[in-house]
Amino acid sequence: MSNHVYKLLELTGSSSISIEEAVQNAISKAHETVRNIQWFSVTETRGHVIDGKVAHWQVSIKLGFTLE
């Protein structure tokens, strides 16, 4: 591995389907404007409950990308 310098973004993705889709939604949106995305870590997971069922997931992540 080379000596990279990383910058972090904190993002929150959401999904009515799953935690994984919430993460993917955040990464996909960031990919539209951020180059060199290398990794992510999940920092928080939340959900919205309606009538005793999970209605929506929210997942906060830290997204790392290399600086050019």
Side-chain angles (χ1 to χ4, degrees):
M1 179 178 204
S2 298
N3 294 327
H4 294 291
V5 174
Y6 295 94
K7 183 160 179 76
L8 295 176
L9 292 176
E10 292 187 54
L11 305 169
T12 300
S14 62
S15 168
S16 59
I17 305 298
S18 68
I19 293 169
E20 290 85 359
E21 185 175 85
V23 169
Q24 187 60 59
N25 289 343
I27 292 171
S28 294
K29 188 63 175 176
H31 179 71
E32 292 176 10
T33 58
V34 177
R35 294 187 307 272
N36 303 319
I37 295 172
Q38 300 294 322
W39 56 269
F40 74 94
S41 63
V42 174
T43 57
E44 187 175 8
T45 304
R46 297 179 298 280
H48 181 124
V49 177
I50 297 176
D51 295 328
K53 296 182 181 177
V54 175
H56 222 85
W57 293 98
Q58 288 185 329
V59 180
S60 294
I61 64 172
K62 288 186 179 178
L63 187 69
F65 61 97
T66 53
L67 297 175
E68 295 177 346

